[in-house]
Amino acid sequence: MKNLEKTLKSIVENPKYIFRLSVQGVMVGIFAGLMVCLYRFLLSESEHILRNYLTIIQTNVVYIVLFFVFLAVLGLLIDWITKWEVDSSGSGIPQVYAEVKGHMEANWAKVLFSKIVTGVMTALGGLSLGPEGPSVQIGGMAGKGVARLFKGSKTDELRLILVGSAVGITAAFNAPLAGVLFVMEEINHGFDKTLIFIALVSAIVSDFISKSIFGQSTVLTFPINNIPLENYWILIVLGIVIGVIGYVYNIGMIKSSDFVNSLKIPSQLKFVAVFIISGVVALTIPQISDGGHFMMDMLGVAIPSLGVLVLLLVLKYLFSMFSFSSGAPGGIFLPILVLGAYIGAIFGSVVVPALGMGHVLIYKFIVISMAGFFAATVRSPITGIVLIAEMCGSTESLVAMIIVSLIAYVVPTILGNEPIYESLYDRLLLNKNREFVKKPSKHVLSEYVVPLDCDYINFKIKDIPFPKNAIVVSVIRNGKYIIPTEDFNIKYSDQVQILTDVNDYPYVREEIEELFGG
């Protein structure tokens, strides 16, 4: 028993092991950071190319015809690449989620190449898809590449995939804390001190690289004034409004994706049609094209009229729903933030004059609503609050964002709506083309925190129906490693470490999360 305890401590507390993980974290920060920054740069240039081209083809019939021929070719190329590497389609976050849960085994090099190339194509085509979901997948696959270079354990490989995913958010938004929190809150759904340590190391390195390339200025530069305390009640109304709209957003995105998947349309024809329609939108309503940078920049210049704000919000939502349901590579992260910003702009345009507040306070509602809409759709309120705070470079709106985010989180939850990424993950696993491939036998050490509402608190280990193909090897309680016997009682906040084979890991994890209410 003492030998096993020493072995476990040597794995998690050995300075050499921690140093090796730190080196790997630095390498993930460099490699994943460079890959995500490359992706971010290429997307930005692609969007500029599209908008510059749109300004010169308006009255030239030949150029317009060539534009649509180009879009048709892009559609065919997207179809070919997504068949060549099926894991490059869609957002990318559900794919990372499936990989760390053991349901996928992606080819990291193919995904890196195909995700970057197809992302550039969707940007050139003007689809309303964001870069952040793909950035998470690009970072995760870069982390997997580093893990394969070191030839470490499967446990460390899964950790480095998560670390790379944090880099994806960090490099995309210059938001290292939000990147780490997103992985903890949305993907890993657990507290792993070793993972947090490596993720922070990697995030800091990648943030330095990102700021060296794109500058140190914050993503958002809106003026932010304080809402008078006597008007704080309006935040409750805003939270309810955002929660209801978030519910409608999630339902619409999932229903539209299911509808498109039910259609018996050849994929080549589908993607060509999607790109052609996107071209029509770019020519007629260029404001809603691409992920949403243009619409966000509009708010920075001047707040449009209320009618224009409502029209752009509705059209952006419909075009985002159309773009995403096609299955084209790209995410919904940025469109969610843009929609949240416009909800805040509309709300502010109504209540600010009605309550006699200063016009500049509309920007306060824009910032608050971005965090709130993220909480309503993704259901990760802490990440959303920290993300917007880092994007603004200010913590002055924290209390207001917390109030709105908590209410916006509760409303769709009460209505029985699943978080958007969990819904997409469930549909990814239901894909009939995805079959579990048996891998060479390796051990995976996973960690689960016992929550307060767990049904097995104070139960003996022998009385808890753990999966037969899983072994409880240690429990961390109050910072101490304990090798439990069958009569050991599980307590609240215990960190239970379980060893299983990589082939059993997906099913073992699901069963244990069910036991612990995860």
Side-chain angles (χ1 to χ4, degrees), residues 162-163 165-166 178-189 195:
L162 290 168
V163 167
S165 301
V180 176
L181 283 173
F182 181 77
V183 166
M184 295 296 108
E185 191 176 20
E186 179 59 28
I187 301 179
N188 191 52
H189 292 171
L195 172 61

Side-chain angles (χ1 to χ4, degrees), residues 303 344-346 348-350 352-353 358-367:
I303 303 295
I346 293 169
S349 296
V350 173
V352 164
H359 180 77
V360 74
L361 275 176
I362 293 177
Y363 287 104
K364 181 81 166 186
F365 287 108
I366 289 174
V367 169

Side-chain angles (χ1 to χ4, degrees), residues 292-354:
H293 291 107
F294 188 82
M295 284 182 64
M296 196 69 80
D297 291 341
M298 286 177 61
L299 295 178
V301 175
I303 303 295
S305 66
L306 182 60
V308 172
L309 287 171
V310 172
L311 180 63
L312 288 177
L313 173 67
V314 173
L315 292 177
K316 183 63 175 177
Y317 170 55
L318 294 175
F319 188 46
S320 297
M321 187 167 59
F322 168 79
S323 299
F324 185 75
S325 63
S326 70
I332 57 176
F333 212 105
L334 179 58
I336 283 175
L337 296 181
V338 172
L339 292 173
Y342 272 71
I343 293 169
I346 293 169
F347 189 85
S349 296
V350 173
V351 303
V352 164

Side-chain angles (χ1 to χ4, degrees), residues 184-471:
M184 295 296 108
E185 191 176 20
E186 179 59 28
I187 301 179
N188 191 52
H189 292 171
F191 185 87
D192 182 335
K193 290 189 294 184
T194 304
L195 172 61
I196 293 175
F197 174 75
I198 311 170
L200 284 171
V201 169
S202 190
I204 291 170
V205 172
S206 63
D207 186 54
F208 180 82
I209 293 172
S210 176
K211 288 177 177 174
S212 298
I213 297 173
F214 299 106
Q216 299 188 56
S217 59
T218 56
V219 176
L220 299 177
T221 56
F222 297 147
I224 301 176
N225 291 7
N226 290 323
I227 300 173
L229 289 177
E230 62 268 22
N231 295 132
Y232 255 53
W233 61 269
I234 200 68
L235 297 177
I236 299 175
V237 178
L238 178 57
I240 295 172
V241 169
I242 291 176
V244 172
I245 298 176
Y247 172 82
V248 173
Y249 174 90
N250 281 6
I251 293 294
M253 295 295 281
I254 296 302
K255 293 292 185 183
S256 62
S257 296
D258 291 345
F259 173 74
V260 171
N261 290 334
S262 68
L263 298 176
K264 304 301 180 182
I265 301 175
S267 58
Q268 301 95 324
L269 180 61
K270 179 186 70 172
F271 282 119
V272 169
V274 166
F275 273 82
I276 294 296
I277 293 173
S278 178
V280 174
V281 170
L283 285 170
T284 56
I285 322 170
Q287 296 90 338
I288 65 172
S289 286
D290 70 50
H293 291 107
F294 188 82
M295 284 182 64
M296 196 69 80
D297 291 341
M298 286 177 61
L299 295 178
V301 175
I303 303 295
S305 66
L306 182 60
V308 172
L309 287 171
V310 172
L311 180 63
L312 288 177
L313 173 67
V314 173
L315 292 177
K316 183 63 175 177
Y317 170 55
L318 294 175
F319 188 46
S320 297
M321 187 167 59
F322 168 79
S323 299
F324 185 75
S325 63
S326 70
I332 57 176
F333 212 105
L334 179 58
I336 283 175
L337 296 181
V338 172
L339 292 173
Y342 272 71
I343 293 169
I346 293 169
F347 189 85
S349 296
V350 173
V351 303
V352 164
L355 297 178
M357 295 187 288
H359 180 77
V360 74
L361 275 176
I362 293 177
Y363 287 104
K364 181 81 166 186
F365 287 108
I366 289 174
V367 169
I368 295 170
S369 297
M370 291 172 71
F373 198 59
F374 188 87
T377 53
V378 180
R379 233 59 59 79
S380 298
I382 299 174
T383 299
I385 292 166
V386 174
L387 173 64
I388 302 304
E390 288 188 291
M391 289 174 67
C392 295
S394 170
T395 59
E396 292 180 2
S397 302
L398 277 180
V399 174
M401 284 195 291
I402 291 172
I403 294 171
V404 172
S405 295
L406 290 179
I407 296 172
Y409 175 94
V410 169
V411 170
T413 303
I414 292 175
L415 294 174
N417 178 242
E418 282 191 337
I420 185 67
Y421 286 124
E422 289 191 17
S423 297
L424 295 175
Y425 166 72
D426 291 339
R427 280 155 178 77
L428 178 68
L429 296 188
L430 287 174
N431 187 336
K432 63 181 180 180
N433 295 322
R434 186 168 305 286
E435 297 178 356
F436 181 75
V437 179
K438 189 173 177 65
K439 299 177 277 288
S441 181
K442 283 185 179 180
H443 287 146
V444 178
L445 183 67
S446 50
E447 187 174 289
Y448 308 85
V449 178
V450 180
L452 188 59
D453 59 349
C454 178
D455 294 333
Y456 296 98
I457 290 177
N458 293 324
F459 274 59
K460 295 179 180 179
I461 284 183
K462 67 180 180 181
D463 296 327
I464 300 175
F466 285 109
K468 293 181 180 179
N469 43 2
I471 303 173

Side-chain angles (χ1 to χ4, degrees), residues 92-104:
I93 291 176
Q95 285 85 343
V96 172
Y97 193 39
E99 175 118 12
V100 297
K101 281 183 170 286
H103 289 288
M104 276 179 53

